Amino acid sequence: MSSPVGPQRPPREADQIKVWFRFVPREDWLPYDTEGLWATRIGPDTARVDNVPFLQDGVAEGETVRFRTDEDGVHWAVGRVAESGNCTVRVLPVPDGPLGHDAQAVHERLAGFGLTGEVFSAEFPLVALTVPGGADLRGVKALLARGRDEGWWHFEVSCVTDAWRAA
């Protein structure tokens, strides 16, 4: 099932485009097979990703991707050209846990690390976060694990760097 998943805000600049990613939907997860991410065009077939992905694995905000444009003018990602040094983490608060369905509470718990992100929807408070390469990665990992262990949230790391692995 295809869906226009991704922030639906209008482009901020003339060189901002939406780059679409295709993937195989996961069982027991959101039933989408595409995600559109805003990106700034930096070449005829390259763009820098401007927001954090909710569904696409292996890409983070700030990375440069190569795309091809189909006959309908849709830009489809075909690969990553340059890493940003950022990681992508997705956090879903446990509905009957201490945070309830409160995505803002997730942001507040992680704000001290300089993480930015977006919320999927009020009904499904999945928080997709960009973890900057210069963040306290050990601290972020420890807090994520603590939150999982104490029933605050479930989380997954969908784009990692060597620095993340080493932390």
Side-chain angles (χ1 to χ4, degrees):
M1 164 184 222
S2 290
S3 173
V5 171
Q8 298 303 309
R9 64 181 185 256
R12 292 178 302 228
E13 305 171 12
D15 59 346
Q16 195 169 47
I17 60 174
K18 191 164 261 194
V19 175
W20 290 88
F21 294 78
R22 285 190 178 107
F23 49 86
V24 175
R26 291 191 264 169
E27 285 213 25
D28 300 323
W29 193 234
L30 297 167
Y32 306 122
D33 61 2
T34 61
E35 180 174 20
L37 299 175
W38 289 111
T40 300
R41 185 188 292 265
I42 56 176
D45 65 347
T46 56
R48 184 187 66 248
V49 175
D50 292 335
N51 63 285
V52 60
F54 285 101
L55 303 173
Q56 177 62 41
D57 291 334
V59 68
E61 184 176 3
E63 300 196 331
T64 302
V65 296
R66 186 168 313 285
F67 63 87
R68 69 167 182 76
T69 305
D70 69 16
E71 61 278 355
D72 295 321
V74 178
H75 309 296
W76 291 100
V78 295
R80 184 168 51 182
V81 175
E83 295 180 3
S84 64
N86 297 330
C87 298
T88 301
V89 175
R90 299 180 190 123
V91 180
L92 183 63
V94 174
D96 59 352
L99 305 182
H101 262 77
D102 191 353
Q104 184 60 36
V106 171
H107 279 288
E108 288 170 4
R109 295 279 189 302
L110 294 162
F113 295 104
L115 281 56
T116 58
E118 301 178 47
V119 179
F120 189 83
S121 71
E123 298 78 34
F124 187 63
L126 175 66
V127 182
L129 297 162
T130 295
V131 181
D136 172 6
L137 300 180
R138 282 199 172 129
V140 172
K141 289 171 83 170
L143 184 56
L144 288 169
R146 177 179 165 212
R148 177 198 58 220
D149 295 346
E150 293 183 9
W152 301 349
W153 53 54
H154 304 286
F155 76 92
E156 68 179 11
V157 183
S158 66
C159 184
V160 300
T161 61
D162 289 340
W164 177 273
R165 287 183 196 93

